[in-house]
Amino acid sequence: MNDTPGWAPPGSSPSDEPDHGAQQQNEPADQPAPEQPTWGGQWARRQPPPGRWTASGRGPTPPQVPPAPTPGGGWGTGPHQPPAPRPGVIPLRPLAVSEILNGAVAIMRAHWRTVLGISLIVSIVVQGLITAATGLWFNDARGNESNVLDDRDVTVSQAMRAVGAALGDSGVTLLLGVLGTIVTTALLTVVTARAVLGRSVSTKEAWGGARPHLLQLCGLLLLIPAIAVAVIAAGMTPGLLLAFAGVHSEGAALASLGGFAAAGVAVWLWVRFSLAPPALMLEKQGIIKALRRSFKLVRGAWGRVFGIQLLAVVLVFIVGAIVEIPTSLIAMVIGGDNAMDWLSGESVSVSWTFLIVVGVGGVISSTITFPISAGVTALLYMDQRIRREALDLELARAAGMPGDPAEGHGKDQPTVASTSGN
């Protein structure tokens, strides 16, 4: 007997069974009833309805097997299943890749005041830190880097510091961008949960839903990058130790190889932990439990989650380029030759006017792209729970739509009370 939601046991209902206490018409009273054919023990007492008997009298036809249900609770789009309810921006069933990407854009369009307001605040903070770091630190770091790398007698430690300075600008920019994406994801998860149910939410309500978990969120923001950095550092440590011991070429090669291998492990872990922010916000989990929750939800679907996240990154890059290229051209016109030399690496400093114009373009770009990344991550989290835990039934109940939950469905499942915005 299959208890999967949307399935029914084979055979007829008890009301379809013949009355065994009454004698059949034209049947002698003293004649024993003919032996009923069976298909296993469960068919001995419960027979198919009369409409399934053949006209030739050879017995009943084999039982009709119902169509297989969808993994998310019995709703689907096939001819034998009712269409999935859609109270909000997505249908309540396992989602296709295009539906996740389109849903992220639909959330931004339907609730643009709240979404863009949150995104604008985060973008101003993130881009302000990037601009300040570039103007105060990396202008001087570029000059030191150029002097060191031009010296043929440079030591390994000096070369490593110069390489670190060279990668520092892009590394800090990437790190701050990722942190901004995680923060926006956490704050906009409340908006996404309401949008899935077809309900609106104000910026004040979104802040009220996220505020109790901000300290835990900050810990999560620090822990995930720290894990990635620790893994990469562990992979490069043997080569660095060998280089410091005097075996420079072999040590550098081993450090590079270990760094690449560790970077692959870090990416794998990052994807496994990518659903932790929405798990923390919606399920009211702690930091460690949220990481474990994400690890469990992504298990068996790493490639799919990675592919969708990669598509989101490509979409964000394209949208960001459309916005940032014109502002960068304006900044170069304002900055003159000094800006061109700085971009090519020939100059060690650039004016604050150039950095501010570039920063304004970054704010506009981030305000648009942060909600896309945040929406994709939140919808991926819901999609994985729909596939694994039939969250679509809980969402349908919260939206006040009819469902077909199986008996006992939802036991031992994580709470979804916050999904409905309560």
Side-chain angles (χ1 to χ4, degrees):
M1 304 289 288
N2 197 325
D3 293 333
T4 304
W7 280 68
S12 62
S13 62
S15 60
D16 295 329
E17 297 180 11
D19 186 2
H20 297 291
Q23 295 180 356
Q24 302 293 331
Q25 187 176 5
N26 300 329
E27 181 180 352
D30 57 348
Q31 182 177 355
E35 183 179 359
Q36 301 290 344
T38 64
W39 290 278
Q42 65 177 347
W43 286 86
R45 297 182 180 180
R46 180 174 294 180
Q47 302 301 324
R52 294 186 180 181
W53 287 73
T54 60
S56 61
R58 295 181 180 179
T61 59
Q64 301 294 323
V65 180
T70 59
W75 286 306
T77 58
H80 301 291
Q81 296 181 0
R86 183 168 182 163
V89 295
I90 59 170
L92 300 184
R93 57 169 170 75
L95 302 175
V97 176
S98 60
E99 291 173 327
I100 293 177
L101 298 177
N102 292 336
V105 177
I107 293 170
M108 184 171 59
R109 294 176 58 187
H111 308 280
W112 62 271
R113 287 187 179 90
T114 302
V115 171
L116 295 182
I118 294 174
S119 181
L120 178 62
I121 295 173
V122 176
S123 299
I124 291 175
V125 173
V126 170
Q127 195 61 45
L129 292 175
I130 293 174
T131 301
T134 303
L136 297 176
W137 178 18
F138 295 116
N139 277 342
D140 296 334
R142 281 197 172 196
N144 296 332
E145 166 203 337
S146 301
N147 295 332
V148 170
L149 295 180
D150 290 339
D151 188 2
R152 295 184 178 181
D153 298 329
V154 63
T155 64
V156 175
S157 59
Q158 291 174 335
M160 293 298 296
R161 285 195 296 269
V163 172
L167 298 178
D169 194 356
S170 58
V172 170
T173 301
L174 177 62
L175 178 61
L176 290 174
V178 170
L179 292 179
T181 301
I182 296 177
V183 172
T184 312
T185 297
L187 295 176
L188 294 182
T189 297
V190 179
V191 181
T192 301
R194 291 289 190 95
V196 168
L197 300 177
R199 301 172 184 174
S200 60
V201 58
S202 64
T203 304
K204 183 179 180 181
E205 291 172 334
W207 170 254
R211 183 178 57 186
H213 311 288
L214 286 181
L215 290 179
Q216 293 177 325
L217 177 62
C218 291
L220 185 64
L221 296 178
L222 296 175
L223 184 58
I224 294 179
I227 293 174
V229 172
V231 170
I232 295 176
M236 297 181 64
T237 297
L240 295 177
L241 292 176
L242 191 62
F244 284 121
V247 187
H248 300 283
S249 58
E250 291 82 356
L254 182 59
S256 300
L257 181 61
F260 281 117
V265 176
V267 170
W268 182 81
L269 289 174
W270 195 287
V271 174
R272 293 299 295 263
F273 294 145
S274 63
L275 303 184
L280 187 149
M281 299 301 297
L282 288 183
E283 299 182 29
K284 306 183 187 302
Q285 299 274 9
I287 296 175
I288 302 302
K289 289 184 178 180
L291 292 175
R292 292 176 179 174
R293 190 81 173 100
S294 176
F295 204 87
K296 178 182 178 181
L297 289 174
V298 180
R299 183 174 57 196
W302 188 94
R304 182 174 184 272
V305 174
F306 173 75
I308 295 175
Q309 294 279 29
L310 183 61
L311 286 177
V313 170
V314 173
L315 178 61
V316 165
F317 176 80
I318 294 175
V319 174
I322 294 174
V323 176
E324 292 186 13
I325 289 177
T327 56
S328 298
L329 293 175
I330 296 174
M332 285 188 290
V333 171
I334 295 175
D337 296 336
N338 190 32
M340 296 296 298
D341 294 339
W342 187 83
L343 292 174
S344 62
E346 298 177 3
S347 177
V348 298
S349 63
V350 72
S351 67
W352 280 100
T353 304
F354 172 82
L355 294 177
I356 292 174
V357 174
V358 172
V360 170
V363 169
I364 299 174
S365 173
S366 299
T367 301
I368 299 174
T369 57
F370 275 165
I372 297 176
S373 299
V376 168
T377 301
L379 292 178
L380 260 177
Y381 160 82
M382 294 183 182
D383 178 58
Q384 287 301 113
R385 288 196 61 187
I386 287 174
R387 294 173 181 271
R388 292 180 176 271
E389 302 166 358
L391 180 65
D392 49 343
L393 299 181
E394 302 294 337
L395 293 174
R397 294 191 194 102
M401 305 192 71
D404 187 22
E407 182 180 357
H409 174 75
K411 294 182 179 180
D412 300 327
Q413 299 296 345
T415 178
V416 293
S418 57
T419 305
S420 61
N422 297 333

